[in-house]
Amino acid sequence: MDDAASIDGKTTQPLSQAELDALTDQLVDKLKTVYDPEIPVDIYELGLVYKVDVSDDKDVAIDMTLTAPGCPVAGEMPGWVEQAVLEIPGVRSCKVDLVFDPPWDPSRMSDEAKLQLNMF
């Protein structure tokens, strides 16, 4: 009985591909609402989000980084991301971990971000 769902008698149905696709779109939309205050581009387009995992119970786990380890909002940014994700209906929880391996560099930015920052 190592399955927590079996302890309380509840079983979780796996998310369908359509549900996962819709949730993925919502997650991207919400991640695009969080900005690095020093750079006028959202964290998603900057390439700061390294990994997003979603459980069948709609618990979200995010690994992200910062443009620099000494970023002045390092203590606040994970909370901003968590709050944005928790606005999605049906999301049960969100955990954001800051990681610094691999280190961020400008090559991780999307073409959209490079265009916004005139880096072409």
Side-chain angles (χ1 to χ4, degrees):
M1 265 193 125
D2 57 359
D3 181 11
S6 63
I7 293 171
D8 64 11
K10 296 178 184 175
T11 57
T12 302
Q13 295 296 322
L15 294 174
S16 70
Q17 189 61 50
E19 290 173 310
L20 187 56
D21 291 345
L23 185 53
T24 298
D25 290 344
Q26 291 174 311
L27 284 164
V28 170
D29 288 345
K30 286 299 182 181
L31 291 171
K32 286 183 170 196
T33 67
V34 180
Y35 284 76
D36 182 318
E38 296 178 328
I39 304 171
V41 178
D42 67 79
I43 63 168
Y44 185 83
E45 297 297 339
L46 280 173
L48 298 179
V49 178
Y50 284 176
K51 182 172 85 172
V52 178
D53 286 329
V54 179
S55 75
D56 290 332
D57 289 322
K58 295 186 180 176
D59 295 309
V60 179
I62 297 173
D63 285 351
M64 67 169 290
T65 195
L66 302 169
T67 54
C71 178
V73 294
E76 299 169 62
M77 180 104 42
W80 299 342
V81 173
E82 181 181 324
Q83 287 175 339
V85 169
L86 289 174
E87 291 175 1
I88 299 171
V91 168
R92 187 170 78 166
S93 68
C94 180
K95 180 178 182 253
V96 180
D97 287 321
L98 284 179
V99 297
F100 295 100
D101 188 32
W104 179 86
D105 67 70
S107 70
R108 295 185 170 277
M109 292 190 301
S110 70
D111 288 344
E112 182 180 316
K114 290 175 185 175
L115 189 62
Q116 285 180 291
L117 296 173
N118 294 319
M119 293 183 72
F120 276 112

